[in-house]
Amino acid sequence: MKKYNLTENGKKKYTLLVPEGRHEVSYDQWKDAYQYLEMAHEAKADFENNLYAEATKKSITSIINLIAALCEGVTFEQLKKISFDKLKNIFIFEFGWLSKEQPKKKFKINGRVFEIPDFSKKTAGDFMDVMDLIAQVNDKKDDAELGLVIAAIYMREGEYEQDIDKINERKEFLKRYAKMDVLFGAGFFFSNSLLNLEKSMLLHLAGQAVKELERLTSCLSGWAIILYLQALQKAEC
């Protein structure tokens, strides 16, 4: 985490802790931030339709809420009192990982080493695991559990075995210790494995899984930063 001292009227008001990657962001934080990643897409559509006032408001609201959701020590209402230049610099220089970070396959979590299976080998066992995973995800009622289910089935220590008790143990372990880099990697490689399935099968099996994968693997496109800068310039005029 990077530390920023934010000032209001020349006086220190808040200490903001900014994550340097998904490895410092919890799943709950990401859930809060996801809706504002979606809002950035809405702002782009407004901008392209010449609705500049709406685009400006949505882009600024999106970015300030993203900072508030992903950081520690400050709220959206408090950030609204901070200068545009300060927020602009924090966003541009500290949140590049939202669009540039690459998914990983190997992780060390609280002293334990986990690896996501290599689905490029396309073994029968891997395919069966994908099918079981889709079924479990679709059966889940609590959205907060979906990312953990995906990661718990995917993550393994050494040789993989399809053991429900061990999967549940990993889920509880990950719920306590894992950060978004783990869920991002699991979601990314699971998404790739889904591409190997027939489209007709996906329509019947993967609806909820695809929805959750979009949340786990969402990024902030480069155009959002440009739009944000344009919005800030309009707001400062």
Side-chain angles (χ1 to χ4, degrees), residues 162-178:
Q162 195 176 42
D163 185 310
I164 297 300
D165 289 337
K166 289 185 177 180
I167 289 172
N168 286 331
E169 183 271 330
R170 285 200 299 274
K171 189 181 79 172
E172 293 305 313
F173 177 84
L174 293 170
K175 183 186 294 186
R176 182 173 182 181
Y177 297 111

Side-chain angles (χ1 to χ4, degrees), residues 1-215:
M1 290 275 196
K2 282 193 176 181
K3 183 186 292 187
Y4 280 86
N5 292 322
L6 301 180
T7 60
E8 182 183 338
N9 297 324
K11 296 181 180 179
K12 178 182 173 182
K13 290 288 292 185
Y14 315 109
T15 298
L16 180 67
L17 297 179
V18 182
E20 297 183 74
R22 287 175 174 81
H23 64 288
E24 293 182 331
V25 175
S26 71
Y27 184 78
D28 287 339
Q29 284 178 298
W30 190 258
K31 279 183 63 182
D32 289 341
Y34 177 74
Q35 59 187 306
Y36 302 111
L37 289 171
E38 292 292 288
M39 184 182 288
H41 288 272
E42 295 175 16
K44 179 177 183 286
D46 286 343
F47 197 85
E48 290 175 344
N49 289 321
N50 300 321
L51 300 173
Y52 300 122
E54 290 86 344
T56 298
K57 182 177 180 180
K58 285 181 181 178
S59 61
I60 293 176
T61 300
S62 169
I63 300 306
I64 295 177
N65 271 294
L66 279 173
I67 294 174
L70 297 176
C71 297
E72 298 176 12
V74 72
T75 66
F76 172 78
E77 292 300 322
Q78 291 168 336
L79 286 174
K80 287 200 301 185
K81 301 175 183 178
I82 304 302
S83 74
F84 282 129
D85 279 343
K86 187 73 171 180
L87 296 180
K88 177 175 65 179
N89 288 335
I90 290 174
F91 178 68
I92 292 174
F93 294 112
E94 305 301 341
F95 283 90
W97 54 267
L98 276 171
S99 58
K100 298 176 182 177
E101 199 167 48
Q102 298 297 309
K104 298 183 295 183
K105 276 198 168 187
K106 295 183 179 180
F107 304 88
K108 188 171 184 179
I109 308 170
N110 200 41
R112 295 171 63 179
V113 178
F114 295 89
E115 183 174 358
I116 298 173
D118 185 359
F119 278 83
S120 63
K121 296 179 181 178
K122 300 186 181 73
T123 66
D126 286 340
F127 182 81
M128 290 170 62
D129 288 343
V130 172
M131 303 303 288
D132 288 341
L133 176 53
I134 292 173
Q136 289 201 36
V137 168
N138 282 333
D139 287 341
K140 280 292 176 182
K141 305 301 182 185
D142 182 2
D143 282 353
E145 293 286 305
L146 297 181
L148 292 168
V149 171
I150 292 172
I153 294 180
Y154 258 75
M155 309 296 283
R156 64 183 183 188
E157 298 167 288
E159 290 298 316
Y160 181 74
E161 54 183 310
Q162 195 176 42
D163 185 310
I164 297 300
D165 289 337
K166 289 185 177 180
I167 289 172
N168 286 331
E169 183 271 330
R170 285 200 299 274
K171 189 181 79 172
E172 293 305 313
F173 177 84
L174 293 170
K175 183 186 294 186
R176 182 173 182 181
Y177 297 111
K179 296 295 185 181
M180 268 307 300
D181 61 330
V182 175
L183 303 182
F184 177 52
F188 177 85
F189 292 109
F190 177 53
S191 179
N192 281 353
S193 69
L194 284 180
L195 295 177
N196 294 322
L197 299 178
E198 293 292 334
K199 289 185 178 179
S200 59
M201 296 173 69
L202 286 178
L203 289 176
H204 294 289
L205 296 172
Q208 186 59 58
V210 170
K211 180 181 177 181
E212 176 60 12
L213 289 170
E214 289 174 353
R215 176 175 12 214

Side-chain angles (χ1 to χ4, degrees), residues 55-57 59-60 226-236:
T56 298
K57 182 177 180 180
S59 61
I60 293 176
I226 297 173
L227 177 61
Y228 179 57
L229 291 175
Q230 291 173 328
L232 282 182
Q233 289 171 353
K234 290 180 179 293
E236 290 172 335

